[in-house]
Amino acid sequence: HWLSIVPVTIDDAVLQECDALHQKHALRGADSVHLASALVAARLLGTSVTFVCADRQLADAARSERLPVALTL
């Protein structure tokens, strides 16, 4: 799966998304960066991306943003 990983630069688009997600879902800072990066990557790629995390609150936020989630606990 490593070849399918797409790095995302933390730029203005990601930071704006972070702010909106933090407000909407009361996420911690790093969690909002994680989710914002996935959403921006999905938009840039024009396809769905699977969001992977080990936190139920973050997984719920990703689902509410319509991302498929692989929760690893």
Side-chain angles (χ1 to χ4, degrees):
H1 296 286
W2 288 109
L3 296 175
S4 64
I5 292 175
V6 177
V8 176
T9 301
I10 300 176
D11 59 10
D12 287 340
V14 173
L15 293 175
Q16 288 175 0
E17 192 75 45
C18 283
D19 186 47
L21 292 168
H22 175 73
Q23 298 296 323
K24 185 175 180 181
H25 301 290
L27 296 174
R28 296 176 296 240
D31 289 347
S32 63
V33 171
H34 185 178
L35 182 51
S37 296
L39 292 169
V40 169
R43 280 198 297 271
L44 290 174
L45 294 170
T47 187
S48 178
V49 298
T50 300
F51 188 78
V52 180
C53 67
D55 179 281
R56 290 201 190 279
Q57 180 187 5
L58 182 55
D60 289 344
R63 284 187 196 98
S64 76
E65 297 297 325
R66 300 188 180 128
L67 286 178
V69 173
L71 184 61
T72 59
L73 292 176

